[in-house]
Amino acid sequence: MLAKRCFLCGHKMLENGLCSNVECIRSTTVPGTAVAEALAAEKEAENTETQGK
């Protein structure tokens, strides 16, 4: 299977749809999108798990 690549810089894309190049504009989420909301929910779930221990 071919790895998806960023159309701006050519680096590989992560599973969450963001660019793996930290200097690329596509490596950050846009507030209000489904990806941003999913990442926020994932972080919140991790925080509740670590606080419960």
Side-chain angles (χ1 to χ4, degrees), residues 1-19:
M1 183 176 169
L2 295 174
K4 292 184 180 182
R5 296 207 171 256
C6 176
F7 68 90
L8 292 176
C9 68
H11 277 76
K12 291 182 181 178
M13 299 295 285
L14 300 174
E15 291 179 9
N16 59 10
L18 299 176
C19 182

PDB file of all heavy atoms in Angstrom, residues 1-19:
ATOM      1  N   MET A   1       0.838  -1.185   0.000  1.00  0.00           N
ATOM      2  CA  MET A   1       0.000   0.000   0.000  1.00  0.00           C
ATOM      3  C   MET A   1       0.880   1.243   0.000  1.00  0.00           C
ATOM      4  O   MET A   1       1.865   1.327   0.722  1.00  0.00           O
ATOM      5  CB  MET A   1      -0.896  -0.009   1.242  1.00  0.00           C
ATOM      6  CG  MET A   1      -1.843   1.121   1.285  1.00  0.00           C
ATOM      7  SD  MET A   1      -2.916   0.943   2.744  1.00  0.00           S
ATOM      8  CE  MET A   1      -3.643   2.524   2.704  1.00  0.00           C
ATOM      9  N   LEU A   2       0.524   2.207  -0.810  1.00  0.00           N
ATOM     10  CA  LEU A   2       1.289   3.437  -0.892  1.00  0.00           C
ATOM     11  C   LEU A   2       0.947   4.352   0.270  1.00  0.00           C
ATOM     12  O   LEU A   2      -0.212   4.486   0.649  1.00  0.00           O
ATOM     13  CB  LEU A   2       0.992   4.165  -2.206  1.00  0.00           C
ATOM     14  CG  LEU A   2       1.431   3.451  -3.481  1.00  0.00           C
ATOM     15  CD1 LEU A   2       0.929   4.218  -4.697  1.00  0.00           C
ATOM     16  CD2 LEU A   2       2.931   3.322  -3.527  1.00  0.00           C
ATOM     17  N   ALA A   3       1.981   4.970   0.813  1.00  0.00           N
ATOM     18  CA  ALA A   3       1.772   5.918   1.905  1.00  0.00           C
ATOM     19  C   ALA A   3       1.310   7.249   1.318  1.00  0.00           C
ATOM     20  O   ALA A   3       1.829   7.696   0.297  1.00  0.00           O
ATOM     21  CB  ALA A   3       3.060   6.107   2.689  1.00  0.00           C
ATOM     22  N   LYS A   4       0.335   7.856   1.938  1.00  0.00           N
ATOM     23  CA  LYS A   4      -0.131   9.158   1.477  1.00  0.00           C
ATOM     24  C   LYS A   4       0.927  10.188   1.821  1.00  0.00           C
ATOM     25  O   LYS A   4       1.582  10.110   2.852  1.00  0.00           O
ATOM     26  CB  LYS A   4      -1.456   9.516   2.134  1.00  0.00           C
ATOM     27  CG  LYS A   4      -2.588   8.635   1.691  1.00  0.00           C
ATOM     28  CD  LYS A   4      -3.895   9.097   2.294  1.00  0.00           C
ATOM     29  CE  LYS A   4      -5.031   8.217   1.839  1.00  0.00           C
ATOM     30  NZ  LYS A   4      -6.317   8.682   2.375  1.00  0.00           N
ATOM     31  N   ARG A   5       1.077  11.165   0.947  1.00  0.00           N
ATOM     32  CA  ARG A   5       2.080  12.205   1.144  1.00  0.00           C
ATOM     33  C   ARG A   5       1.411  13.585   1.110  1.00  0.00           C
ATOM     34  O   ARG A   5       0.406  13.788   0.445  1.00  0.00           O
ATOM     35  CB  ARG A   5       3.158  12.119   0.077  1.00  0.00           C
ATOM     36  CG  ARG A   5       3.935  10.816   0.162  1.00  0.00           C
ATOM     37  CD  ARG A   5       5.320  10.993  -0.379  1.00  0.00           C
ATOM     38  NE  ARG A   5       6.118   9.807  -0.103  1.00  0.00           N
ATOM     39  CZ  ARG A   5       7.031   9.737   0.846  1.00  0.00           C
ATOM     40  NH1 ARG A   5       7.264  10.768   1.611  1.00  0.00           N
ATOM     41  NH2 ARG A   5       7.727   8.651   1.032  1.00  0.00           N
ATOM     42  N   CYS A   6       2.004  14.499   1.830  1.00  0.00           N
ATOM     43  CA  CYS A   6       1.534  15.880   1.876  1.00  0.00           C
ATOM     44  C   CYS A   6       1.753  16.527   0.507  1.00  0.00           C
ATOM     45  O   CYS A   6       2.826  16.397  -0.077  1.00  0.00           O
ATOM     46  CB  CYS A   6       2.307  16.642   2.946  1.00  0.00           C
ATOM     47  SG  CYS A   6       1.911  18.396   3.041  1.00  0.00           S
ATOM     48  N   PHE A   7       0.740  17.204  -0.007  1.00  0.00           N
ATOM     49  CA  PHE A   7       0.895  17.826  -1.322  1.00  0.00           C
ATOM     50  C   PHE A   7       1.719  19.113  -1.260  1.00  0.00           C
ATOM     51  O   PHE A   7       2.139  19.623  -2.291  1.00  0.00           O
ATOM     52  CB  PHE A   7      -0.466  18.089  -1.978  1.00  0.00           C
ATOM     53  CG  PHE A   7      -1.288  19.147  -1.309  1.00  0.00           C
ATOM     54  CD1 PHE A   7      -1.188  20.466  -1.684  1.00  0.00           C
ATOM     55  CD2 PHE A   7      -2.182  18.809  -0.308  1.00  0.00           C
ATOM     56  CE1 PHE A   7      -1.963  21.446  -1.084  1.00  0.00           C
ATOM     57  CE2 PHE A   7      -2.961  19.767   0.299  1.00  0.00           C
ATOM     58  CZ  PHE A   7      -2.846  21.097  -0.083  1.00  0.00           C
ATOM     59  N   LEU A   8       1.975  19.622  -0.046  1.00  0.00           N
ATOM     60  CA  LEU A   8       2.765  20.844   0.078  1.00  0.00           C
ATOM     61  C   LEU A   8       4.263  20.565   0.185  1.00  0.00           C
ATOM     62  O   LEU A   8       5.063  21.188  -0.495  1.00  0.00           O
ATOM     63  CB  LEU A   8       2.317  21.644   1.300  1.00  0.00           C
ATOM     64  CG  LEU A   8       0.919  22.244   1.212  1.00  0.00           C
ATOM     65  CD1 LEU A   8       0.558  22.921   2.524  1.00  0.00           C
ATOM     66  CD2 LEU A   8       0.832  23.232   0.074  1.00  0.00           C
ATOM     67  N   CYS A   9       4.636  19.618   1.056  1.00  0.00           N
ATOM     68  CA  CYS A   9       6.066  19.399   1.290  1.00  0.00           C
ATOM     69  C   CYS A   9       6.546  18.008   0.880  1.00  0.00           C
ATOM     70  O   CYS A   9       7.747  17.776   0.792  1.00  0.00           O
ATOM     71  CB  CYS A   9       6.404  19.646   2.754  1.00  0.00           C
ATOM     72  SG  CYS A   9       5.700  18.437   3.885  1.00  0.00           S
ATOM     73  N   GLY A  10       5.634  17.056   0.676  1.00  0.00           N
ATOM     74  CA  GLY A  10       6.026  15.722   0.230  1.00  0.00           C
ATOM     75  C   GLY A  10       6.324  14.735   1.343  1.00  0.00           C
ATOM     76  O   GLY A  10       6.628  13.583   1.060  1.00  0.00           O
ATOM     77  N   HIS A  11       6.233  15.147   2.605  1.00  0.00           N
ATOM     78  CA  HIS A  11       6.455  14.222   3.715  1.00  0.00           C
ATOM     79  C   HIS A  11       5.256  13.283   3.865  1.00  0.00           C
ATOM     80  O   HIS A  11       4.171  13.567   3.377  1.00  0.00           O
ATOM     81  CB  HIS A  11       6.673  14.991   5.022  1.00  0.00           C
ATOM     82  CG  HIS A  11       8.066  15.476   5.206  1.00  0.00           C
ATOM     83  ND1 HIS A  11       8.553  16.570   4.520  1.00  0.00           N
ATOM     84  CD2 HIS A  11       9.067  15.026   5.981  1.00  0.00           C
ATOM     85  CE1 HIS A  11       9.812  16.770   4.887  1.00  0.00           C
ATOM     86  NE2 HIS A  11      10.150  15.847   5.767  1.00  0.00           N
ATOM     87  N   LYS A  12       5.475  12.185   4.573  1.00  0.00           N
ATOM     88  CA  LYS A  12       4.396  11.229   4.806  1.00  0.00           C
ATOM     89  C   LYS A  12       3.327  11.840   5.704  1.00  0.00           C
ATOM     90  O   LYS A  12       3.619  12.652   6.566  1.00  0.00           O
ATOM     91  CB  LYS A  12       4.932   9.963   5.472  1.00  0.00           C
ATOM     92  CG  LYS A  12       5.802   9.137   4.556  1.00  0.00           C
ATOM     93  CD  LYS A  12       6.259   7.886   5.236  1.00  0.00           C
ATOM     94  CE  LYS A  12       7.141   7.070   4.326  1.00  0.00           C
ATOM     95  NZ  LYS A  12       7.634   5.858   4.981  1.00  0.00           N
ATOM     96  N   MET A  13       2.091  11.404   5.476  1.00  0.00           N
ATOM     97  CA  MET A  13       0.966  11.845   6.296  1.00  0.00           C
ATOM     98  C   MET A  13       0.782  10.863   7.447  1.00  0.00           C
ATOM     99  O   MET A  13       1.009   9.661   7.288  1.00  0.00           O
ATOM    100  CB  MET A  13      -0.317  11.901   5.471  1.00  0.00           C
ATOM    101  CG  MET A  13      -0.250  12.872   4.302  1.00  0.00           C
ATOM    102  SD  MET A  13      -0.091  14.582   4.782  1.00  0.00           S
ATOM    103  CE  MET A  13      -1.745  14.909   5.337  1.00  0.00           C
ATOM    104  N   LEU A  14       0.380  11.368   8.604  1.00  0.00           N
ATOM    105  CA  LEU A  14       0.098  10.531   9.756  1.00  0.00           C
ATOM    106  C   LEU A  14      -1.274   9.898   9.611  1.00  0.00           C
ATOM    107  O   LEU A  14      -2.058  10.278   8.734  1.00  0.00           O
ATOM    108  CB  LEU A  14       0.161  11.376  11.036  1.00  0.00           C
ATOM    109  CG  LEU A  14       1.506  12.053  11.309  1.00  0.00           C
ATOM    110  CD1 LEU A  14       1.387  12.975  12.513  1.00  0.00           C
ATOM    111  CD2 LEU A  14       2.587  11.019  11.534  1.00  0.00           C
ATOM    112  N   GLU A  15      -1.590   8.941  10.470  1.00  0.00           N
ATOM    113  CA  GLU A  15      -2.879   8.263  10.415  1.00  0.00           C
ATOM    114  C   GLU A  15      -4.043   9.215  10.655  1.00  0.00           C
ATOM    115  O   GLU A  15      -5.136   9.000  10.166  1.00  0.00           O
ATOM    116  CB  GLU A  15      -2.930   7.129  11.441  1.00  0.00           C
ATOM    117  CG  GLU A  15      -2.023   5.980  11.105  1.00  0.00           C
ATOM    118  CD  GLU A  15      -2.076   4.892  12.157  1.00  0.00           C
ATOM    119  OE1 GLU A  15      -2.928   4.948  13.050  1.00  0.00           O
ATOM    120  OE2 GLU A  15      -1.247   3.978  12.071  1.00  0.00           O
ATOM    121  N   ASN A  16      -3.819  10.286  11.416  1.00  0.00           N
ATOM    122  CA  ASN A  16      -4.895  11.228  11.714  1.00  0.00           C
ATOM    123  C   ASN A  16      -5.086  12.280  10.622  1.00  0.00           C
ATOM    124  O   ASN A  16      -5.894  13.179  10.762  1.00  0.00           O
ATOM    125  CB  ASN A  16      -4.656  11.910  13.064  1.00  0.00           C
ATOM    126  CG  ASN A  16      -3.353  12.673  13.114  1.00  0.00           C
ATOM    127  OD1 ASN A  16      -2.696  12.865  12.113  1.00  0.00           O
ATOM    128  ND2 ASN A  16      -2.972  13.100  14.297  1.00  0.00           N
ATOM    129  N   GLY A  17      -4.341  12.177   9.530  1.00  0.00           N
ATOM    130  CA  GLY A  17      -4.512  13.083   8.404  1.00  0.00           C
ATOM    131  C   GLY A  17      -3.632  14.312   8.429  1.00  0.00           C
ATOM    132  O   GLY A  17      -3.761  15.189   7.575  1.00  0.00           O
ATOM    133  N   LEU A  18      -2.738  14.402   9.406  1.00  0.00           N
ATOM    134  CA  LEU A  18      -1.836  15.545   9.494  1.00  0.00           C
ATOM    135  C   LEU A  18      -0.474  15.188   8.919  1.00  0.00           C
ATOM    136  O   LEU A  18      -0.081  14.022   8.862  1.00  0.00           O
ATOM    137  CB  LEU A  18      -1.675  15.981  10.952  1.00  0.00           C
ATOM    138  CG  LEU A  18      -2.951  16.432  11.647  1.00  0.00           C
ATOM    139  CD1 LEU A  18      -2.657  16.745  13.106  1.00  0.00           C
ATOM    140  CD2 LEU A  18      -3.556  17.617  10.957  1.00  0.00           C
ATOM    141  N   CYS A  19       0.268  16.193   8.484  1.00  0.00           N
ATOM    142  CA  CYS A  19       1.601  16.002   7.922  1.00  0.00           C
ATOM    143  C   CYS A  19       2.592  15.678   9.041  1.00  0.00           C
ATOM    144  O   CYS A  19       2.503  16.207  10.140  1.00  0.00           O
ATOM    145  CB  CYS A  19       2.030  17.273   7.188  1.00  0.00           C
ATOM    146  SG  CYS A  19       3.641  17.131   6.398  1.00  0.00           S
TER     147      CYS A  19
END
